[in-house]
Amino acid sequence: MSLSTPSSRYHCSLCAALSRLGAQHAAAQCAPPQPQRRRFAAALLGAGAGLALPAAAREGVDVGKQSGFSKLVSAEQVEQAATQQYAQLLQEARGKNALVSGDNTQTVRLRFVAQRIIPFTPEWNARAPGWKWEVNLLASKQINAFCMPGGKIAFYTGLIEQLKLTDDEVSMVMGHEVAHALREHARERMGKSAATNIGLELGAALLGLGNASRTIAGMGAQLLQLKFSRDDESEADLVGMELAARAGYDPRSGVSLWTKMGQATGGAGGGSGSKLAEYGSTHPQGPTRIHDIEANLPKVMPLYERAPKPTQRWDAGLGDSGDRKANKPATPGREQAR
């Protein structure tokens, strides 16, 4: 007996059923995607686009995030303490006739360099635009310079005169010191101290023996005595080098600067009998420091090459005492020129 078929196209009912299943599968393959499938496909495309177009890497040096210890101490308190300490320092310098006048060649020079560096500071610290920057020169044989929290900068004549700093080297020192303030190294050191001392004070307070508030009360007196760690110094070298490069000063001068430092101390370190004892005590030197600077030069040289160069230079007057007036005085800018 022959098997009946729904159509003469098929050999039997089984063939017809298989054909229908095949047609349904093909239709499913061609059907429009469901909303869930559209969303899933869009997500895959989005992820693929994110992988294909990564965010542009930052140009310049990379020193990582700031230490969490800085958050243990209020930035406002530290900056207020720095302002008070800086004002006291200037008052004492005036009393000793050691505050160099604003129209002195070297003071004008320092303020000019600062005015070129300051515009690039906000990228490193969101508080920097609100700082009342000040730059002053103190007559002293000390080999020293610093930038206190809040942008309070001071150079000592001994640093400029004994090392016969070029403008590029001045920018490297200034960039380095400004970087300490931008990276809030003083605040970080105070935070670490507070973490220890407050713990001790709280323990004593529980026994009725102390008061935790005393830990913060004396922070102003610490600012000029703080010694930064090797990591802090390395950060300041690299950030300072980038600031100087963006300001149009040659970052390769960092090598000549620290070579001069090493030669002046007869090597590295700056012992108690060294001319650089003061600066060496808080700014450790050595071949490693120069090596780190050299290793990071490729990251900042393009910035320097593109940057507008300074319209004034004082390199030709390195041998004078600083009494000669600049041939083209820099135009003062608000607080930067004070």
Side-chain angles (χ1 to χ4, degrees):
M1 183 177 69
S2 64
L3 295 173
S4 64
T5 62
S7 169
S8 58
R9 293 168 52 200
Y10 304 107
H11 178 267
C12 64
S13 297
L14 179 60
C15 291
L18 289 174
S19 177
R20 287 195 296 272
L21 286 173
Q24 291 171 0
H25 177 71
Q29 293 294 320
C30 297
Q34 298 300 312
Q36 296 87 343
R37 291 180 180 176
R38 291 196 195 99
R39 288 194 291 269
F40 181 67
L44 286 178
L45 288 173
L51 292 174
L53 299 171
R58 181 188 178 278
E59 189 175 13
V61 302
D62 180 11
V63 293
K65 296 181 179 180
Q66 288 182 234
S67 170
F69 279 102
S70 62
K71 294 181 173 59
L72 297 179
V73 179
S74 163
E76 290 83 357
Q77 282 184 301
V78 174
E79 291 167 15
Q80 182 180 4
T83 298
Q84 294 172 351
Q85 187 75 8
Y86 189 76
Q88 181 179 341
L89 178 70
L90 297 185
Q91 184 178 0
E92 292 174 356
R94 287 190 192 95
K96 298 176 181 178
N97 199 29
L99 181 61
V100 180
S101 67
D103 62 354
N104 176 277
T105 299
Q106 296 298 345
T107 308
V108 172
R109 178 196 200 192
L110 292 174
R111 291 175 177 175
F112 180 84
V113 173
Q115 287 174 2
R116 294 190 63 84
I117 287 177
I118 289 170
F120 302 102
T121 59
E123 183 176 354
W124 291 99
N125 192 309
R127 297 182 60 81
W131 289 353
K132 295 182 178 179
W133 294 87
E134 294 186 54
V135 184
N136 284 287
L137 178 63
L138 305 178
S140 170
K141 293 182 179 179
Q142 288 189 52
I143 309 297
N144 207 357
F146 60 82
C147 178
M148 299 173 76
K152 307 303 183 184
I153 302 170
F155 271 62
Y156 290 77
T157 55
L159 176 66
I160 297 173
E161 293 171 358
Q162 293 188 47
L163 270 65
K164 299 189 183 302
L165 297 181
T166 66
D167 291 356
D168 294 310
E169 290 165 349
V170 166
S171 76
M172 288 295 294
V173 175
M174 187 171 294
H176 175 99
E177 300 304 335
V178 166
H180 276 307
L182 295 174
R183 295 292 290 174
E184 299 187 299
H185 290 154
R187 186 180 171 202
E188 174 190 345
R189 301 295 288 177
M190 289 180 183
K192 290 178 178 179
S193 177
T196 301
N197 294 338
I198 288 177
L200 294 174
E201 288 280 7
L202 287 174
L206 291 174
L207 300 174
L209 301 175
N211 183 354
S213 63
R214 291 183 303 184
T215 302
I216 304 301
M219 68 169 59
Q222 302 177 39
L223 289 170
L224 292 177
Q225 284 78 39
L226 286 177
K227 294 185 179 181
F228 299 121
S229 68
R230 163 57 69 182
D231 287 344
D232 292 342
E233 291 297 326
S234 179
E235 278 189 12
D237 281 345
L238 300 186
V239 174
M241 181 168 63
E242 179 180 313
L243 290 171
R246 290 184 183 276
Y249 293 102
D250 192 339
R252 292 170 293 191
S253 62
V255 175
S256 61
L257 169 66
W258 292 106
T259 299
K260 284 182 179 182
M261 292 281 192
Q263 291 172 344
T265 58
S272 59
S274 167
K275 292 191 301 179
L276 297 181
E278 301 92 341
Y279 202 72
S281 66
T282 55
H283 298 73
Q285 305 149 42
T288 300
R289 185 170 213 154
I290 292 176
H291 176 269
D292 290 345
I293 291 174
E294 290 176 329
N296 282 273
L297 280 175
K299 298 178 181 179
V300 297
M301 283 301 294
L303 300 174
Y304 165 65
E305 290 164 357
R306 295 197 306 267
K309 302 304 182 286
T311 56
Q312 293 177 254
R313 295 195 69 93
W314 284 261
D315 298 311
L318 291 177
D320 67 25
S321 63
D323 293 331
R324 184 163 49 84
K325 300 289 179 66
N327 53 1
K328 292 171 64 179
T331 302
R334 57 184 188 92
E335 295 291 339
Q336 293 99 314
R338 288 183 57 191

